[in-house]
Amino acid sequence: MFLVVVAALFVAADRLAVNFAEDKAAEKIRGSLGLSETPQVSIKGFPFLTQVASGTLTEVDASLGGIEATAEGHRLRVTELSAQFHDVKLSSDYTSIEGAASATGEARIGYADLTRAAGDGVRISYGGTSGGRSQVKISPDIPVLDSLDVVGTVSTVGGDTIRLRADELPTLCTAVPGCEDKVRARTDHDWKLGELPAGLKLDRVTTTRDGIAISAKGTDVKLPG
């Protein structure tokens, strides 16, 4: 009976410690990355105190909300960025996190947010897939071109930038001087994310009926804290 009581007290102390550490980590991540919302942080593995003593946490999961990318005065809101950090190294005094050996993650962006970020007179919606490639439909409001819809692609550039490009414009537009530049000023955009943990890079883009999903990965990732 005594051993059962001791074990229960150890588990309770361990859970209190991990909850305290998660709250502190969330506060530091929010402050360091300048987030508008406090992220949700979950430290995996049991017991937590044994991991702390070893100086390495098996896995730390974080859900970052309120991230925004900017371009040409327009803001693109990332609905959510969830990331899993593996083999997280603690500082020698156990008061901060130095980094993670590897990390994976996924960012989600809705079409309504893409439409707002593209500016006035542009609507972005689901475009399906073609030849295994994810696509979006871009509908710019151009006075001389009635009901113009073009197929576009969302990709990542440099590990921190989300790029939107119209794949091909109608022949009528390309034949008219200045028309292509006017249309592409509405359809083509780059939004740079300045709030990613160092070492975590945006990777592959997939379109769904609800929005786009962007996978992320990295090694030697630096976590604030």
Side-chain angles (χ1 to χ4, degrees):
M1 182 63 180
F2 174 75
L3 292 179
V4 173
V5 172
V6 171
L9 290 174
F10 174 78
V11 171
D14 190 81
R15 294 302 87 190
L16 285 173
V18 73
N19 290 338
F20 177 80
E22 288 170 347
D23 290 344
K24 288 298 182 183
E27 291 174 5
K28 288 186 176 181
I29 290 174
R30 178 179 181 177
S32 178
L33 297 180
L35 303 178
S36 61
E37 303 172 12
T38 301
Q40 296 180 344
V41 176
S42 176
I43 299 174
K44 303 296 184 179
F46 178 83
F48 167 68
L49 294 174
T50 301
Q51 294 185 71
V52 172
S54 72
T56 303
L57 303 179
T58 303
E59 180 181 337
V60 176
D61 295 352
S63 179
L64 312 179
I67 295 179
E68 291 185 338
T70 59
E72 302 165 357
H74 299 296
R75 293 183 177 273
L76 173 62
R77 186 178 187 277
V78 179
T79 308
E80 181 179 330
L81 171 63
S82 58
Q84 299 77 45
F85 304 94
H86 304 278
D87 296 329
V88 178
K89 185 69 174 177
L90 301 176
S91 62
S92 58
D93 59 2
Y94 308 109
T95 61
S96 62
I97 293 174
E98 293 186 344
S102 63
T104 57
E106 186 176 87
R108 294 187 176 276
I109 303 172
Y111 292 120
D113 290 313
L114 280 169
T115 295
R116 280 190 289 270
D120 295 337
V122 181
R123 183 170 59 87
I124 301 171
S125 56
Y126 180 58
T129 59
S130 176
R133 185 179 63 179
S134 296
Q135 297 176 317
V136 295
K137 182 170 71 173
I138 311 173
S139 305
D141 183 12
I142 306 295
V144 295
L145 299 173
D146 187 32
S147 301
L148 174 64
D149 292 329
V150 297
V151 173
T153 301
V154 182
S155 60
T156 64
V157 180
D160 63 355
T161 299
I162 300 168
R163 170 168 288 176
L164 173 66
R165 290 289 185 272
D167 294 339
E168 187 175 345
L169 300 184
T171 304
L172 173 63
C173 182
T174 56
V176 177
C179 180
E180 182 170 359
D181 290 341
K182 182 173 291 188
V183 172
R184 287 199 175 277
R186 298 286 187 90
T187 62
D188 295 2
H189 302 278
D190 286 348
W191 296 284
K192 185 173 183 179
L193 284 171
E195 299 169 335
L196 291 173
L200 185 63
K201 305 295 184 182
L202 300 179
D203 185 25
R204 188 170 58 90
V205 178
T206 303
T207 61
T208 70
R209 294 191 179 277
D210 298 324
I212 64 171
I214 307 173
S215 63
K217 62 182 180 180
T219 57
D220 295 327
V221 178
K222 303 302 180 185
L223 283 79

